[in-house]
Amino acid sequence: MRPWPGTPYPLGATYDGVGTNFTLFSEAGEWVELCLFDDEGNEERVRLPEVDGFVHHGYLLGIGPGQRYGYRVHGPHQPEQGLRCNPNKLLIDPYAKAIDGEVKWHESLFGYPFGDPDARNDQDSAGHVPLSVVVNPFFDWANDRPPKIPYNETVIYEAHVRGLTMRHPEVPERLRGTYAGLAHPVVIDHLKKLGVNAIELMPVHQFVTDHGLVEKDLRNYWGYNTIGFFAPHDGYSALGHDAGQVQEFKGMVRALHEAGIEVILDVVYNHTAEGNHLGPTLSMRGIDNQAYYRLVEDEPKYYMDYTGTGNSMNVRSPHTLQLIMDSLRYWVTEMHVDGFRFDLAATLAREFYDVDRLSTFFDLVQQDPVVSQVKLIAEPWDVGPGGYQVGNFPPLWTEWNGKYRDTARDFWRGEPATLGEFASRFTGSSDLYKEDGRRPYASINFVTAHDGFTLTDLVSYNDKHNLANGEDGRDGADDNRSWNCGVEGPTDDPEVNELRERQRRNLLTTLLLSQGVPMLLHGDELGRTQQGNNNAYCQDNELSWVDWTLLEKNQPLLDFTSGLTDFRKKHPVFRRRRFFQGRPIRKGEELRDIAWFTPAGEEMTEQNWEDGFGRCVSVFLNGKGIPDLDQRGMKVEDDSFLVVFNAHHEDIEITLPGEGYGPEWAVVIDTATGEIAAFPQDEPTIPAGGSVTATARSVVVLQRMGAE
């Protein structure tokens, strides 16, 4: 087969309806072979005829969608110097839009200790490496439009494509665990009833289960081991592996958009599945090792590892930055996703050694006309020195707020000296985000996420129980800030179970009424448990999958969670676009926008905040003091509320504020009973200066009634 010269861009395999243009960047490679595979696995090699700016390229007439291919790069193999070209290694296209198959672990894939004379291993790795697939770029998007939900109105649902539907009885068996299964009407109906309007999918880029897990008969369930930044993971496809996963993914996005739900991807650009110098050569290592990976300065050229996975992507390289930006734009323009959550995002800011908020990567994102317009969420830490960067990302970014998680957990488990910080986290963490011009919604608030305990386990276990992972319990965090309410694990004790239910409601209420963007973990609304496993990254089984039969006994929890999201939607005072000022906001307004009170109804003093054993506080939120305009330029106004937090182990009688804050009040949410008032005007009222009992470890929300 004789190729035409083709064009150097775009990178990857591009089908135009007649043939396919193949391009591969490699500065280290001297020449490149394109390897075409038929249905029987027979290989035909074609040398790419042209090189422009280190981009090797060629055009093949008649080659179209479904064609499987790979590359062999001929060039220097000097691992000690960071050069790892080896034509015996069949390589995945870094720009492949679809990838077929899993890694079949074989000695020909692995690296060797530096200085080993057999390091260039003559064995061919064909048949052991997944193949890239040419895709059909055409898809009927119909009238698809991005929902473009404002940050302050967003409620995120973190979910796993496979885990969400594998045990759903109403999803057809052949669709369970797939993109099509997630788009099934019964799943979308659940999301809509729950009140979430953005789903954050754990990694869907093509990933690899590493050799160590395969040897233990386990799998990489979470997917933080990417090998293809453009390809939807084929293991989540119900349509087979002839690039059907691309069409299926697009269909899922279209269906979610029709329901008004955004799609956010958890993306892993900080490292790849090729690991350290002893890891497998699957793609970029054999294409241009020095361009794509951070290497130490001295020889031998070991990999810099800020991620704990063996390697770190080289964000100092323009070609790596191009790969990341091209990938992000592709997922927005071609796959119609609405945003990204960047795993270990601090690594992407390490141009040299320190985390630099002015790094090139952030500059590129800021000026990009496509990527800058979608939701950008950072996991603001990595495992390198100075890697914990909560509050330090640039203004365009929002962040997973780990301080919010820790403070909320500590407050409700009764840790001392948490009252002041709890108040700060509840009101949007202005100490982290206000000074650089960001808004409360820069804080992505969460109490639970995929990494750690589920909500039910958070109130049921003091210690992790990770023996199923095969690491003798050494893996997973030890500092869980959890409390088992008196008994470790499941119990028949009715008092313990009632307390656990109340604690779940306390945490959910705190989360959904805090300023910022709330994020729920899939299955928490159903009472999902991982039996105390706080690191279920390798548990692709019923331990991690959402058990939908839990709904039978946890319908009240689902109803309560749905009630909270609906309450938040109705009342903009709980999702303000600007921080509280602690003063009247508008002319003629006498009340401040926020005020804090002791249980005795007196305003909090500095001494009250410094009380290390404070467990109870009330906050007045002035619905008339919202300094926002809606899209029509009209003032945003709401009812006013008093939120009472009682983390004490005993009931506390709460004195309501004086008449200046409102003539009378009605209880609209009480986590002790699990009730949310549908019609507040029909509830009995309590006069100003009156009292209400806050049950031990509960939240009470009162709405101002009567004349304003």
Side-chain angles (χ1 to χ4, degrees), residues 17 81 96 177 195 221 242 266 309 327 340-341 345 403 443 463 485 497 507 562 600 610 622 677 684:
Q81 299 177 28
Y221 172 63
D242 291 328
D266 192 339
T309 62
S327 170
F340 305 95
R341 178 266 189 188
K403 292 186 177 181
S443 177
D463 303 305
C485 297
N497 285 328
L507 290 162
S562 300
E610 293 175 353
N622 185 356

Side-chain angles (χ1 to χ4, degrees), residues 198-487:
I199 187 166
E200 183 179 299
L201 298 178
M202 292 178 65
V204 298
H205 290 172
Q206 189 79 20
F207 63 86
V208 173
T209 292
D210 61 85
H211 182 249
L213 288 178
V214 172
E215 287 189 320
K216 297 177 183 177
D217 198 27
L218 296 170
R219 297 185 62 80
N220 187 317
Y221 172 63
W222 284 354
Y224 293 95
N225 208 29
T226 303
I227 200 58
F229 295 116
F230 293 77
H233 187 62
D234 67 333
Y236 297 156
S237 173
L239 296 179
H241 306 286
D242 291 328
Q245 61 265 41
V246 177
Q247 303 291 312
E248 186 177 339
F249 184 93
K250 290 179 177 179
M252 175 196 71
V253 173
R254 183 178 60 190
L256 288 165
H257 281 182
E258 288 176 356
I261 299 172
E262 293 184 328
V263 179
I264 299 171
L265 300 187
D266 192 339
V267 290
V268 189
Y269 293 111
N270 56 76
H271 76 281
T272 77
E274 294 186 291
N276 64 18
H277 66 289
L278 299 178
T281 297
L282 303 173
S283 181
M284 287 175 273
R285 170 173 292 164
I287 294 170
D288 199 320
N289 189 52
Q290 290 180 315
Y292 284 119
Y293 294 113
R294 289 289 303 272
L295 306 177
V296 299
E297 294 182 0
D298 299 327
E299 294 185 14
K301 295 289 188 180
Y302 288 101
Y303 293 89
M304 300 284 284
D305 184 11
Y306 297 119
T307 65
T309 62
N311 66 56
S312 302
M313 292 290 282
N314 184 10
V315 292
R316 293 188 295 183
S317 164
H319 303 288
T320 299
L321 288 170
Q322 180 185 12
L323 172 73
I324 295 172
M325 296 305 298
D326 285 350
S327 170
L328 292 170
R329 279 190 296 269
Y330 174 79
W331 285 98
V332 175
T333 59
E334 297 296 323
M335 308 297 265
H336 286 206
V337 304
D338 305 284
F340 305 95
R341 178 266 189 188
F342 292 79
D343 177 66
L344 301 183
T347 299
L348 299 174
R350 292 183 185 271
E351 286 191 8
F352 294 95
Y353 297 101
D354 296 329
V355 178
D356 182 2
R357 61 179 292 165
L358 300 178
S359 68
T360 303
F361 172 69
F362 292 131
D363 288 342
L364 289 173
V365 170
Q366 183 77 37
Q367 60 81 38
D368 190 275
V370 174
V371 179
S372 64
Q373 300 305 302
V374 300
K375 287 185 169 71
L376 301 171
I377 304 170
E379 182 186 36
W381 51 78
D382 66 12
V383 301
Y388 194 75
Q389 293 290 318
V390 173
N392 291 332
F393 273 66
L396 188 65
W397 291 71
T398 63
E399 303 174 10
W400 269 28
N401 191 343
K403 292 186 177 181
Y404 180 97
R405 172 201 58 205
D406 296 345
T407 301
R409 290 184 177 192
D410 279 348
F411 179 77
W412 285 112
R413 70 184 178 129
E415 285 295 293
T418 57
L419 196 60
E421 186 166 4
F422 177 80
S424 177
R425 303 296 156 239
F426 178 74
T427 53
S429 297
S430 61
D431 59 322
L432 299 178
Y433 305 113
K434 186 176 181 180
E435 286 189 5
D436 59 11
R438 285 191 281 178
R439 302 288 182 85
Y441 50 72
S443 177
I444 306 297
N445 299 328
F446 66 104
V447 174
T448 55
H450 67 272
D451 188 1
F453 283 145
T454 68
L455 182 63
T456 291
D457 290 355
L458 186 65
V459 300
S460 303
Y461 294 92
N462 283 351
D463 303 305
K464 63 185 181 183
H465 297 266
N466 294 359
L467 290 179
N469 296 350
E471 300 179 45
D472 296 326
R474 294 186 301 271
D475 64 300
D478 294 314
D479 182 20
N480 293 289
R481 301 172 189 251
S482 60
W483 179 44
N484 64 17
C485 297
V487 177

